[in-house]
Amino acid sequence: MAWAGIVTKILLVIVCSVGGYLIAGQIQQLSTLTWAPWAGVGIGFSFALIAIWLVKFIRRIPLKVLIGGTLGLLMGLLIARLISYGLISVENTTIRVATYVVLVCIFGYVGMVLGSIKIEEMGWPSWSWLQRGGTKGGSLKILDTSVIIDGRIVDIVQAGFLEGVLVVPEFVLQELQHIADSADSSRRVRGRRGLDMLKKLQESDQTEVRIERQDFSNLQEVDAKLVALALRLNASIVTNDYNLSKVAEVQGIRVLNINQLANALRPVVLPGEVLRLHILKEGKEHGQGIAYLEDGTMVVVENAAKLLGQEVEASVTSILQTTGGRMIFTTLKSPEQNHRH
């Protein structure tokens, strides 16, 4: 829970600050200085903030990258240690220690970077149970391009209705970048919006966002890669693409469709209910007027084509649920009164 995280951070700051105060006060060389304990408080407080920042940063790094980087770091330090045995013959202690520190920094850094990169090439399928914490069906949820561009996923996450790890495949990132670099202005705006939404998700404390670098070179379509990745990781797919939803469901993949969620949350309108509507345009059939509810639901009003731009009262006659959303059919409650308006 969010409050538990806040309490933990506060306790960490208090412990580090008090510890810094006590340590600085016990150092013999500083014991005569009255300001030394308070400097220790500042140093302890700073270390606590650094630790909090490190946790927030490390949360965004995939587990196997962390393990690979750690293994690479240990190997680098081991190599540096072995090389340092050749420095025993050096009589100057300063040169020996400085050289050892340089070797540790160089080989430790190289090992950590190479380990985090090369671990991706191993492609071990057993990583998935580590990432899901061993739970079947897992908490991994793969985001497709459409749902990132849509943006409603950010509000859903911030409201706490979507838990677990959100996985963004690297090939989805590449598609977003391709759309953002498009020559078409409308596609370019959509692509940039998608990148902005992804950044907001990464900055949110409500969930963890992980970039998945697995790719499927034998597949060309992004949707096919999403399905293959979901099967490999035993993950769900979050989308608002109708066709992708059906293809994934056929293969036994759990799908969270944002459009279905939006339809479920729309206000219930019952036959006979009276709505106050603003007629915006003519309908496809003769005499029909079209209006919209606040949530975007289309309302067809019979015999309202001549009332464009006016507000009318209409009674609900029927409701039609389609794959594209919900349509409400109505008739004017009092045609004579509406004509006077």
Side-chain angles (χ1 to χ4, degrees):
M1 298 177 67
W3 63 266
I6 295 174
V7 171
T8 304
K9 292 175 183 177
I10 293 174
L11 288 175
L12 176 64
V13 170
I14 292 174
V15 170
C16 289
S17 300
V18 173
Y21 180 89
L22 296 175
I23 292 172
Q26 295 298 317
I27 296 177
Q28 186 175 2
Q29 291 83 351
L30 301 177
S31 59
T32 57
L33 303 175
T34 56
W35 52 265
W38 299 108
V41 171
I43 294 173
F45 181 81
S46 301
F47 274 106
L49 294 182
I50 292 173
I52 293 171
W53 177 83
L54 282 175
V55 169
K56 188 174 182 180
F57 174 76
I58 292 173
R59 282 182 57 189
R60 302 176 183 176
I61 302 175
L63 176 61
K64 59 183 178 182
V65 174
L66 281 175
I67 295 177
T70 302
L71 293 176
L73 175 61
L74 293 175
M75 291 182 64
L77 295 178
L78 178 61
I79 293 173
R81 182 65 178 173
L82 293 175
I83 295 176
S84 69
Y85 286 126
L87 302 174
I88 297 177
S89 59
V90 179
E91 296 182 359
N92 191 312
T93 305
T94 303
I95 295 177
R96 188 168 64 250
V97 172
T99 305
Y100 176 69
V101 170
V102 171
L103 288 174
V104 166
C105 292
I106 293 175
F107 285 98
Y109 173 77
V110 172
M112 182 176 62
V113 173
L114 290 181
S116 61
I117 294 174
K118 294 301 181 180
I119 198 74
E120 295 284 352
E121 299 178 5
M122 300 182 71
W124 292 350
S126 57
W127 286 116
S128 57
W129 70 268
L130 284 171
Q131 294 160 346
R132 291 193 303 272
T135 58
K136 185 178 179 180
S139 58
L140 294 180
K141 297 176 178 64
I142 302 174
L143 305 185
D144 80 332
T145 309
S146 65
V147 82
I148 296 175
I149 293 176
D150 180 280
R152 289 177 291 180
I153 185 72
V154 176
D155 296 327
I156 295 173
V157 167
Q158 291 178 346
F161 285 99
L162 201 59
E163 298 179 343
V165 180
L166 301 183
V167 179
V168 180
E170 194 168 36
F171 53 81
V172 168
L173 274 179
Q174 293 173 356
E175 186 179 36
L176 279 174
Q177 184 178 359
H178 180 71
I179 296 173
D181 293 336
S182 173
D184 184 88
S185 59
S186 60
R187 281 177 56 84
R188 190 164 59 246
V189 169
R190 293 176 68 246
R192 291 175 180 175
R193 170 181 168 80
L195 294 174
D196 290 340
M197 293 299 105
L198 183 56
K199 184 178 180 181
K200 288 183 179 180
L201 282 175
Q202 289 180 317
E203 293 173 349
S204 174
D205 293 330
Q206 299 295 324
T207 188
E208 177 186 349
V209 177
R210 176 162 67 82
I211 305 300
E212 178 58 57
R213 292 178 172 82
Q214 291 190 55
D215 202 351
F216 302 87
S217 56
N218 59 317
L219 301 175
Q220 299 297 324
E221 298 292 331
V222 172
D223 286 359
K225 292 183 178 183
L226 284 167
V227 171
L229 182 61
L231 288 172
R232 176 173 291 184
L233 298 180
N234 193 22
S236 307
I237 294 180
V238 184
T239 181
N240 56 16
D241 187 318
Y242 177 79
N243 294 328
L244 174 59
S245 298
K246 292 304 178 184
V247 171
E249 288 173 353
V250 167
Q251 300 198 44
I253 299 171
R254 185 188 177 202
V255 177
L256 303 176
N257 193 308
I258 300 299
N259 285 337
Q260 291 181 352
L261 176 62
N263 289 334
L265 295 177
R266 284 179 176 173
V268 177
V269 179
L270 301 175
E273 186 174 346
V274 177
L275 304 176
R276 189 159 188 83
L277 306 167
H278 186 79
I279 306 300
L280 297 176
K281 60 181 181 180
E282 295 185 11
K284 292 183 179 180
E285 302 296 331
H286 178 71
Q288 288 181 343
I290 301 297
Y292 293 91
L293 299 182
E294 291 183 356
D295 63 358
T297 303
M298 178 186 291
V299 182
V300 179
V301 186
E302 299 293 339
N303 302 316
K306 296 181 179 179
L307 302 175
L308 295 181
Q310 299 185 35
E311 285 193 355
V312 301
E313 288 186 346
S315 178
V316 177
T317 57
S318 62
I319 302 168
L320 177 63
Q321 183 68 49
T322 67
T323 56
R326 184 179 304 175
M327 291 181 60
I328 300 175
F329 293 87
T330 64
T331 57
L332 293 174
K333 183 181 178 184
S334 176
E336 296 80 7
Q337 182 180 2
N338 287 326
H339 276 299
R340 286 199 296 272
H341 289 312

